[in-house]
Amino acid sequence: MKKYLVTGGAGFIGCNFVKHLFEAYDNIEVTVLDKLTYSGNKDNLKELESKNNYKFVEGDIADPAVVDRLLKDADIVVNFAAESHVDRSIMGADELTQTNLHGTYVLLNAAKKHGVDCFLQISTDEVYGSVETGSSVETDFLMPRNPYSATKAGADHLALSYFTTHGLPVKITRSSNNYGPYQYPEKLIPFFLTNALEDKPLPLYGDGLNVRDWLYVRDNCTGIDTVINKGKIGEIYNIGGGNEITNVEITRRILEILDKPESLITYVKDRPGHDKRYSLNSAKLESLGWKPEADFAASLEKTVKWYLDNRDWWDAIKQKNKEYKEFMEKYYKERQGG
Ligand code: NAD
Ligand code: TYD
């Protein structure tokens, strides 16, 4: 019996990972700790609520009392909890630094006190900074260029310091941009595809030629699972999708799937400090037997279909959520003058 503590499990990748665990294993107990910030939704895991080996706790990873209580009974900690949006991190970084840095510290400290078999810190390709040529390997220098990626890089260093200093069995995964069901409609793919469905403009930053490497979320989940089970402690593993594509090209593909006109694309003022390209070399994880299974075109279509079939899920955010509307007002103001 393995007891997992999954923080941020009510968010996009976290909820897909928890679903993956219940599909892959019988002999597990999973506790989700989530603060239910703007991007967390307990209902993302509704189908698990009747299981007696699943528990949801609403709480903050930066709260030592709740973290201490939950760590007493955890074998494997997977820390997804984070403020995860670059544009929000540019508008203000109070909660971002509190969660991504201090929250990670509180978790590490409790894990050190109680002992765990594995502390998996979820990180990102963005910590390497903009990669004009070639692909990042795990030993590259970190050159984060926005507040979000800077806090994620800081958390990586902190986590590794708990391995070297205290012997905590830390592992780190750094994945590329994820896509799939349950992604909050502020990130490129769900934002653009839901805007297109509403016949609203798709605000593309700068020249639209920035490159991202897209990873289907369930491939990230199997990658994380592989690292937990086969990865070495104190090590970092890249998880890339192998699908590098410019923003304008992925936008065209979304429009094509939806049969919507390219005239919906609107070029707007660029994001400050906008990283030109991310690219991961995932050979280290592949040497453990993992590889991404998803076909990009088919998985993008599957993702679009999920948003078509689950309009209530994103309507509840885009039409009814006051916080989302306030964020969008700020967002559009910042993007004027492109
Ligand atoms: P998300 O914003 O959808 O989910 C974040 C979750 O964390 C939410 O459920 C939120 O309520 C919760 N949370 C936030 N602050 C918390 C706190 N203080 N205590 C407890 N819970 C808290 O984000 P996501 O896209 O699912 O990202 C998950 C992780 O993966 C993050 O660590 C992110 O940096 C990393 N990551 C994401 C991507 C991507 O493409 N989305 C790529 C690489 C790495
Ligand atoms: P995003 O989904 O925010 O992920 P990240 O910044 O973590 O890579 O953005 C993906 C790419 O899409 C990035 O190059 C910024 C760009 N982008 C736009 O052009 N317009 C938008 O409205 C958003 C949200 C992103």
Side-chain angles (χ1 to χ4, degrees):
M1 169 71 77
K2 288 275 179 212
K3 294 179 182 177
Y4 288 80
L5 174 64
V6 180
T7 72
F12 163 48
I13 308 176
C15 82
N16 277 286
F17 181 71
V18 172
K19 290 173 204 286
H20 160 83
L21 284 179
F22 278 99
E23 285 162 22
Y25 303 105
D26 293 323
N27 208 14
I28 55 169
E29 265 178 37
V30 179
T31 300
V32 167
L33 171 63
D34 199 296
K35 191 178 171 185
L36 297 180
T37 66
Y38 74 92
S39 65
N41 182 351
K42 198 179 163 192
D43 284 349
N44 290 349
L45 293 165
K46 207 176 176 50
E47 76 267 23
L48 301 175
E49 278 170 6
S50 61
K51 290 187 183 291
N52 56 16
N53 54 345
Y54 165 76
K55 190 165 79 184
F56 182 86
V57 178
E58 183 175 344
D60 188 339
I61 59 162
D63 175 355
V66 69
V67 166
D68 189 74
R69 176 166 62 81
L70 297 179
L71 256 297
K72 274 183 195 150
D73 204 25
D75 302 319
I76 297 166
V77 178
V78 190
N79 182 27
F80 289 99
E83 290 289 325
S84 67
H85 190 35
V86 174
D87 292 323
R88 286 181 187 254
S89 83
I90 295 167
M91 292 174 190
D94 284 358
E95 283 171 42
L96 179 99
T97 47
Q98 175 66 9
T99 289
N100 298 9
L101 288 169
H102 188 67
T104 302
Y105 158 74
V106 170
L107 279 174
L108 287 164
N109 233 13
K112 170 179 158 257
K113 178 177 166 194
H114 294 291
V116 290
D117 296 337
C118 175
F119 186 109
L120 187 76
Q121 174 64 12
I122 301 293
S123 185
T124 165
D125 59 0
E126 303 202 18
V127 297
Y128 297 114
S130 195
V131 183
E132 304 288 323
T133 55
S135 298
S136 305
V137 292
E138 291 83 351
T139 46
D140 282 354
F141 279 115
L142 304 190
M143 304 229 270
R145 291 164 20 98
N146 61 60
Y148 163 70
S149 52
T151 58
K152 295 299 290 186
D156 285 12
H157 287 308
L158 197 56
L160 286 176
S161 82
Y162 268 66
F163 165 67
T164 46
T165 310
H166 299 299
L168 190 73
V170 167
K171 300 175 187 179
I172 294 178
T173 60
R174 293 183 180 146
S175 85
S176 58
N177 285 61
N178 285 222
Y179 66 103
Y182 300 99
Q183 190 169 28
Y184 199 77
E186 63 183 357
K187 307 279 169 64
L188 181 81
I189 290 180
F191 180 39
F192 279 15
L193 85 85
T194 56
N195 269 15
L197 285 168
E198 297 173 316
D199 296 308
K200 287 183 182 161
L202 314 188
L204 205 48
Y205 298 165
D207 58 10
L209 295 179
N210 300 62
V211 172
R212 295 294 182 266
D213 167 20
W214 294 97
L215 171 70
Y216 189 59
V217 63
R218 285 306 188 105
D219 280 332
N220 190 15
C221 295
T222 58
I224 293 164
D225 196 346
T226 304
V227 171
I228 291 170
N229 287 299
K230 296 188 189 161
K232 273 177 67 177
I233 61 168
E235 294 283 329
I236 301 162
Y237 294 87
N238 288 341
I239 311 181
N243 300 301
E244 284 184 38
I245 179 171
T246 61
N247 292 338
V248 66
E249 183 54 30
I250 194 154
T251 305
R252 287 196 184 113
R253 291 199 194 182
I254 293 167
L255 290 170
E256 203 179 294
I257 295 170
L258 291 171
D259 198 20
K260 295 283 183 179
E262 278 200 23
S263 57
L264 284 177
I265 296 177
T266 313
Y267 286 91
V268 296
K269 198 164 102 187
D270 208 352
R271 173 189 277 173
H274 192 178
D275 288 334
K276 184 76 184 170
R277 173 175 173 262
Y278 302 130
S279 177
L280 288 179
N281 177 325
S282 310
K284 187 172 172 184
L285 179 56
E286 283 169 14
S287 75
L288 300 182
W290 172 87
K291 64 175 174 34
E293 298 291 341
D295 172 77
F296 187 40
S299 303
L300 189 59
E301 279 202 38
K302 199 159 78 176
T303 301
V304 170
K305 188 173 178 320
W306 187 86
Y307 282 85
L308 279 167
D309 292 345
N310 291 277
R311 190 158 183 146
D312 288 353
W313 184 88
W314 55 271
D315 261 351
I317 300 166
K318 290 189 95 167
Q319 312 304 334
K320 299 177 196 141
N321 186 317
K322 193 163 158 268
E323 197 280 340
Y324 185 83
K325 285 187 181 163
E326 283 169 3
F327 164 69
M328 277 298 153
E329 254 170 52
K330 272 197 243 165
Y331 163 91
Y332 280 114
K333 208 179 275 172
E334 303 238 343
R335 297 275 88 79
Q336 275 167 10

